[in-house]
Each structure stands twice: as structure tokens, then as C-alpha cells.
Amino acid sequence: MKQQHFLLRRFPTIIITIGLFIMPYPLVAQEEEILPPAENSSSVVEPSDGLYFADVLVRGRPVIQIGSLPEIDASARAEIINRRIASAIANSNNLEPITVTPDNPRRIATLRLKNRILMTVTQQDAEDYGLSVEALAERWAEQLNTALDKPPLAIDVGQRLYGTVRELLNDTIANLPSLVGAIIVIGFTLLVARIVRYLAFRWAQRTEGDSNTEILIARLSYGGVWIVGSIIALGVMGLNFGALLGALGLTSVAIGFSLKDVLSNYISGVILLAARPFRINDQVVIEDYEGTITQIQLRATTIKTYDGRVVYIPNQEVFQASIINNTASSRRRSSVMVGIDYGENIQRAINEILQALSKIKEVETEPAPDVLVSELAASTVNLEVRFWVNSRRSGFLATTSKVTQTVKEVLETADIDMPTDIYTLVMRDFPSEIKIKEQEEGAKELKLDDR
């Protein structure tokens, strides 16, 4: 119970954490040294991904940003440049400085590494940043050279940590309105969830009458409100629900295979609590176990056997098993078998037994007890005494024992014989030696009688 309550309480935090990881970060990231792009009135190609500026990366870190051109969008252009830089880094340990080659007639400048063109700075780029082509090319070359120089390990680690923290702070500031909105939604959800849980619990107390079912209804209501509130909070934070559903779809398959038995137990527990084939303190028989139900959880059902042992049965096994509920009804029929001699009056024996049962207060009067002739055995006429008693095990066993004792005593008092099994042995074709010995013994007995 405590584990389920803990998971329900922590469920919204888990959802928000997933949202933070899969929520797309701002798609334009730039270093402090890069100047903000100026307004551009030139006609450029409409990018397919909606991005007019893309990052040029060195060892996974954004260094500069380039814009779209009339013939190519920013993302495709950055992808080509990133591929060239990655190839140069992979094929050489000591890189030469990047050089700038102006082309004034064409009003462009090229950035070269070992005479290989890495990228071209165009007039469009210069207009975007409000600089001349040569000045922008020199700036980009300097920034790329700084990024390509492999610093010492400590400095490299420090720079990466600094860049990561700074990017996180920038993203946090940019997403601050959505974060505040999500926090407000979560606070409102907490309030509504508690109110709904209380109302559901009170309603279950009036309608169900089973403590485990009441708790289940209250927790399901509480969790349902949290699910709706978490989805709304993630939407306020700008979550891409398509990406979320895709991630949940893939992970749910893996979780389903790895936790198949656990999920099956929980689902079976919900069905058992809803169908209620038994309740707390019911006395049941489930497969090889017989005892009293002490607890019904979502994962397992607890039975205390009559010899004092506690058995935890997974709900999946309980759901698939045949269940005998001995206390589903307040009354339960019991029977006692007794044999009388063939020479006795059967009706007289029945009357004596019924008269004796009417004096036992533990025996139910409705339905009334009855005595039936069950079997004509080898040496007795067997009578079955049937009667209804309290269905609880203690009352059932005690009353059955008392009836058995009373039947024996009343038949003995009425001089009705209850013989044991009688066997008749017929022996034929005795050997002659046995016959002679019998005759001799008989003769000796006659002589003794004469004396």
C-alpha cells in the first residue's frame, strides 16, 4: 500500500521530468561573441524547417551562426559546413589556422583549411550581421581557429561546463514564463486532486462498504486528476505531444515485456477489487490454501491459514484460480453419517435424531434439518444427517462436532444398535488332517463333559 501511495504521489514529478528532457530547447544557440543578426530585407529561400539561422559546430559546440541564402536554407548549409569541419578534425591531429581569401569582384570571402574551402561568407551574411564581408570573414575565422585549437584537458572541461551551465541558464530564462505557468498548474492540480480524492473516498464509504475498494477508488481518482494536470502543465511548457506519445509508445513496449508479470498482477488486482469475489475476513479456499482473507492489495492477496501461517498469493494466480468462498453466505450446510443395524426401525431412528437436533440451538431451524437413508452397506443402514449452521469455520466445526456427539448419544439411549462392520468367512474343502484334529478335539470335550 505504501509503495503504491508513494508512486502516485511522485507521478507528477516523473511526468514533468520527462517533459523537461524531451521538450525541444530553443533552436538558435549562439556564443556571446557573435553579434545579433540585423534585419534583412533581401529575399531568401523559405526554409523547410522554419529556421533562418543554424549553428556551425566544432566538436559538438556551437561556434558561429549562418543564415539562409536564396539557393539553400540555413540548416542544409550548416550541415555541409559541419561535415567538412568534422572531416578535417578526424583526419588531422594538428590543424593549420583557417585563412580568409577575399573575392572582391564577387563580393564574397572563403574560409580555407589546408587549401580546402570550409565555407563561403556572402554579402547576405554580411548584411545579416551589419558588417562588411571581409570583417565578418575575419571574425568567423578567428572564432573557428579558437574553437579548433585543442586546449588542455582542464581548460577544455571548464569551457564545456561553462558553456553547458550558461546555455542552461539562458534556456531557463527564456522558458521562465512557461515554467511559472506549469508550476501554477501543478499547484492547482494538487489542490483539485486532494479534493477529488476526499470526495471519492467519502462516496465509496457510502456505496461500497469495503475498505480496500474505498482506498482503490480514492487513489485512482487522485492519480487520474494528476495525469490530466501533468499533461496540461507539459503543454504550458511547450511540450510536443507527438514526441511524447512516440516516446511513451516505444518505452511502453519495452516496459510491457520486462514487467509483464508485475503489470499482470496489478491489472488482476484491479479486477478482483472491482468484481469482489471475496472481502476482508472472508474464509476462502484458493488452490491449496485455505484460510481467512486479511488484506487485498493491487499486487497480492494475503491469506492467514487456520494453522497461523500467512500466505501472499500473487493476484494473477488468484484471478486464474477457482475460488471457494465459505463465508459468502451466512449459513452453510454440514452433514454427519451414522450407521444402524439392519434389524432396527429406520423411521424410529430418524425421529429420535430429528428430536435431538431440535434441542441444539446452534443448528439453524430454517432450512430445517433432515435425515436421509444414504446407503445400504454390508452390515449397516447408513443415515445422512444434514443440517445448516453458521458459515464461519469456528462455528461450523464446533456445531458439527456437537451434532455428531448428540446423534451417538441419542441412539444409544434409544437402544438403537450401531454395529461395526461384520464379515462372514465361509471355508470349504478342509484338508483331512484338519478334520481329524477337529474330531479328536470334539471327542476329548465329550469325555470331559461326562466326568
Side-chain angles (χ1 to χ4, degrees), residues 26-65:
L27 295 172
V28 177
Q30 66 182 44
E31 296 295 323
E32 185 180 13
E33 293 79 10
I34 297 180
L35 299 174
E39 294 293 332
N40 179 26
S41 59
S42 302
S43 175
V44 295
V45 66
E46 178 72 22
S48 58
D49 53 7
L51 300 179
Y52 286 92
F53 292 90
D55 293 329
V56 173
L57 306 177
V58 176
R59 296 188 180 94
R61 295 175 55 207
V63 178
I64 62 175
Q65 285 187 317

Side-chain angles (χ1 to χ4, degrees), residues 198-396:
Y198 174 78
L199 295 177
F201 184 74
R202 299 296 296 176
W203 173 82
Q205 283 183 321
R206 292 193 300 268
T207 58
E208 297 297 326
D210 181 75
S211 58
N212 284 274
T213 306
E214 295 164 4
I215 294 174
L216 174 65
I217 292 175
R219 289 182 174 177
L220 289 178
S221 303
Y222 184 81
V225 174
W226 266 116
I227 291 175
V228 175
S230 300
I231 293 175
I232 296 175
L234 293 175
V236 171
M237 295 177 64
L239 173 68
N240 186 341
F241 287 101
L244 174 62
L245 293 176
L248 292 178
L250 293 176
T251 54
S252 61
V253 174
I255 293 174
F257 279 107
S258 59
L259 301 178
K260 178 181 66 174
D261 294 336
V262 176
L263 294 176
S264 178
N265 285 328
Y266 276 96
I267 295 173
S268 300
V270 172
I271 297 175
L272 288 174
L273 288 170
R276 287 182 294 184
F278 46 75
R279 298 172 181 264
I280 300 296
N281 295 325
D282 277 357
Q283 296 177 355
V284 301
V285 180
I286 301 176
E287 296 293 342
D288 298 330
Y289 306 104
E290 181 176 3
T292 303
I293 299 293
T294 59
Q295 198 171 28
I296 307 172
Q297 298 178 337
L298 286 176
R299 194 196 68 83
T301 298
T302 305
I303 293 180
K304 186 175 183 180
T305 61
Y306 297 126
D307 56 1
R309 295 177 296 170
V310 177
V311 182
Y312 299 91
I313 307 177
N315 284 331
Q316 182 180 3
E317 297 182 12
V318 177
F319 181 73
Q320 295 175 350
S322 298
I323 302 172
I324 301 175
N325 192 337
N326 292 326
T327 53
S329 176
S330 60
R331 292 175 296 182
R332 179 180 170 191
R333 195 183 72 180
S334 182
S335 64
V336 173
M337 192 73 67
V338 62
I340 63 174
D341 189 83
Y342 268 88
E344 300 293 345
N345 188 318
I346 297 176
Q347 188 60 46
R348 176 170 170 264
I350 292 176
N351 293 336
E352 292 288 344
I353 293 173
L354 291 177
Q355 185 177 359
L357 292 181
S358 64
K359 300 178 181 179
I360 302 176
K361 62 180 181 179
E362 291 84 2
V363 176
E364 300 287 336
T365 58
E366 186 64 33
D370 57 357
V371 181
L372 304 176
V373 178
S374 175
E375 181 185 11
L376 299 176
S379 56
T380 59
V381 177
N382 292 333
L383 303 179
E384 182 182 7
V385 183
R386 304 191 306 179
F387 52 95
W388 291 82
V389 297
N390 189 307
S391 60
R392 308 301 297 183
R393 180 178 173 84
S394 57
F396 178 84

